[in-house]
Structures are given as structure tokens and as C-alpha cells.
Amino acid sequence: MPVASQLEKTTTARHSAVVRVTHWLTFIAFIALLVTGFEIMISHPRFYWGEVGNVNTKPLFVIPIPASRDTVPTGYGYVMPDQNGWSRYLHFEAAWVAVLAGLVYGIYGLWSGHVRKNLIPERRDRNGRAYRARIAQYFRRRPPGRAEETSYNVLQRTAYLIVIFVLFPLIIWTGLAMSPAFTSAFPWTSVLLGGRQSARTIHFFVSWLLLFFLLVHVTMVAVSGFRRRMRAMITGTMRDSEESQ
């Protein structure tokens, strides 16, 4: 039998080019957003609720770290290096990369049926009792079946749906609600959240939820076969005969 035929039989299509490209663009943008977001946060590590918040306002909570501005009281005797300028610029640029990648992924996912086929839980898992039972199976370290190798299990589908359709839109909304230029044109984006400072506080917590998702996602990739999963997200195919490692 020709080598080409053998290779065709030992590989399975896993991810389309659109999914792979948008996945990596979003990952790179998210890392940039985390780094720059931290740099922006330390310029004023105090969080408030409402429209106004400053050093003369009682904070909702305080991050116990030195600030990068000596005008912000933190209780420390020194300030962090101020990187607020370049970090704000890069944060804005990385956010647009993430938004555009997300739009392309969302449009493609709906148009191609990717969302319906791979993200929405299967009919058998939509019943509450069956859904809980299926999730419980994945915490018993049961080896993944063939269907799970070429698609997502119910736990992954639920997590991806929450990230894509809840957390991702919310992080964009709260980010825009902190922009004076944007809220002057669309004031409702800030008002519905309780004010610009409320938007900043929500933005902070959603960022932590997305970071938690990233850490869990990477851990699951490593546990289920890092080389196999990474190859699938880079080349789009999985080798049927390759053992998880």
C-alpha cells in the first residue's frame, strides 16, 4: 500500500484553519493583555464601585502591592516602575486583535456549524440529571473515548460556551465602559454596569476568571496528551496511532 494512503488512514482531521489561527491569535493577545493589564492596575491598585473613584474615595478593596505612582497611598515606602504609557497602548492594540479574532471565530463557528456540532452539549446531555452524571464521569479519571478525541466532552463544551458567549463579551463591554471617549458617545454602556469604576472592578474579576480558565485549559491539554493536542492545534490533524503523552 502506498505511504500516502497509509498516512491518510492514520490521521484524523481535528481543527480547521480558521479555528487554529483564531485560537493562537487570541492566546497571544490574551497574554499581552494580562501583562499590560497588570502594569495598568499597579498604577492605582485600589478598586471602587460607582462612577467616581480616587485617593480621596473609600475603596471597595485594595490590592496589597506598591503602586507605580507616589500619589497613590499603599502603605509601602517605595513605588513600582511606572510603565503605564506603553502598557496602555499595547493593551488597546492587543484588545482589538482579540476582538477581531473573536468575531472571525464566532461568525465562522455559526456559519460552518462548528458551534452547534462541537460546542453545544449533545441532546443526551441537556437533561439535568444526565448532564450532572456525564460531568461526574470526567472527574473519575476515565480514559477519553474515541468520540472525545475528535470532539469536546460536555465539561469542555460548557466551559467554552461560558468563555465565548459570557466572559469574552463581558470583558470587552467592561473595557469599553472604562473609556471616557466611548462612554461619552454611548453612556448606557457604563450606566448599566453602575458606573466607570464599577466597570473597572468587574473587568478585574472577569480577567481572573479568564486566567483561571486558561490555567485549567493548559492543564487539561497536558494531562490528556500535550504533544498530541498541540500537534492537532498546529497542524489540524491527530495521528490515530499516536499514544497520548
Side-chain angles (χ1 to χ4, degrees):
M1 181 180 293
V3 175
S5 299
Q6 292 179 349
L7 289 176
E8 289 178 359
K9 288 188 175 183
T10 58
T11 59
T12 301
R14 184 66 178 90
H15 301 293
S16 69
V18 174
V19 170
R20 300 197 313 271
V21 171
T22 54
H23 171 276
W24 290 115
L25 283 176
T26 303
F27 173 75
I28 294 171
F30 185 65
I31 296 301
L33 288 168
L34 282 178
V35 174
T36 55
F38 176 77
E39 291 291 349
I40 295 170
M41 185 270 294
I42 64 174
S43 67
H44 195 103
R46 295 157 60 95
F47 290 82
Y48 312 88
W49 194 262
E51 181 63 28
V52 180
N54 52 56
V55 295
N56 297 315
T57 306
K58 183 178 179 180
L60 186 65
F61 64 93
V62 177
I63 305 299
I65 59 174
S68 61
R69 293 178 178 176
D70 55 9
T71 56
V72 180
T74 62
Y76 293 88
Y78 60 92
V79 296
M80 301 281 281
D82 190 357
Q83 307 291 335
N84 202 44
W86 69 266
S87 59
R88 285 184 179 273
Y89 176 80
L90 182 56
H91 197 80
F92 181 79
E93 298 298 326
W96 277 114
V97 172
V99 168
L100 292 175
L103 283 175
V104 171
Y105 175 84
I107 293 172
Y108 167 80
L110 294 173
W111 174 76
S112 67
H114 171 71
V115 171
R116 174 182 54 80
K117 179 182 177 182
N118 295 315
L119 296 184
I120 296 178
E122 299 179 64
R123 186 180 299 275
R124 62 179 179 176
D125 296 328
R126 295 175 194 174
N127 174 273
R129 181 177 298 177
Y131 181 81
R132 291 190 295 271
R134 293 275 288 176
I135 288 181
Q137 291 179 354
Y138 300 112
F139 288 97
R140 297 171 185 166
R141 298 183 179 181
R142 178 178 56 82
R146 179 60 182 165
E148 295 170 27
E149 290 288 349
T150 56
S151 185
Y152 302 120
N153 62 50
V154 64
L155 191 58
Q156 291 172 309
R157 292 176 186 233
T158 302
Y160 293 154
L161 285 175
I162 292 174
V163 168
I164 295 170
F165 295 106
V166 179
L167 297 184
F168 194 69
L170 188 56
I171 201 77
I172 296 172
W173 179 7
T174 53
L176 292 173
M178 288 188 285
S179 169
F182 189 83
T183 54
S184 64
F186 306 99
W188 59 268
T189 56
S190 174
V191 172
L192 289 178
L193 295 172
R196 289 178 56 205
Q197 293 301 323
S198 301
R200 180 173 180 259
T201 300
I202 297 172
H203 194 81
F204 175 78
F205 283 111
V206 175
S207 298
W208 274 104
L209 289 175
L210 288 172
L211 176 59
F212 175 74
F213 167 79
L214 175 63
L215 295 176
V216 172
H217 176 66
V218 172
T219 300
M220 291 178 66
V221 169
V223 171
S224 61
F226 184 79
R227 291 177 58 186
R228 182 179 174 85
R229 299 291 180 177
M230 286 294 289
R231 180 180 287 109
M233 189 51 74
I234 294 172
T235 66
T237 60
M238 300 184 81
R239 294 180 182 175
D240 298 342
S241 59
E242 181 182 24
E243 297 180 359
S244 297
Q245 51 185 312

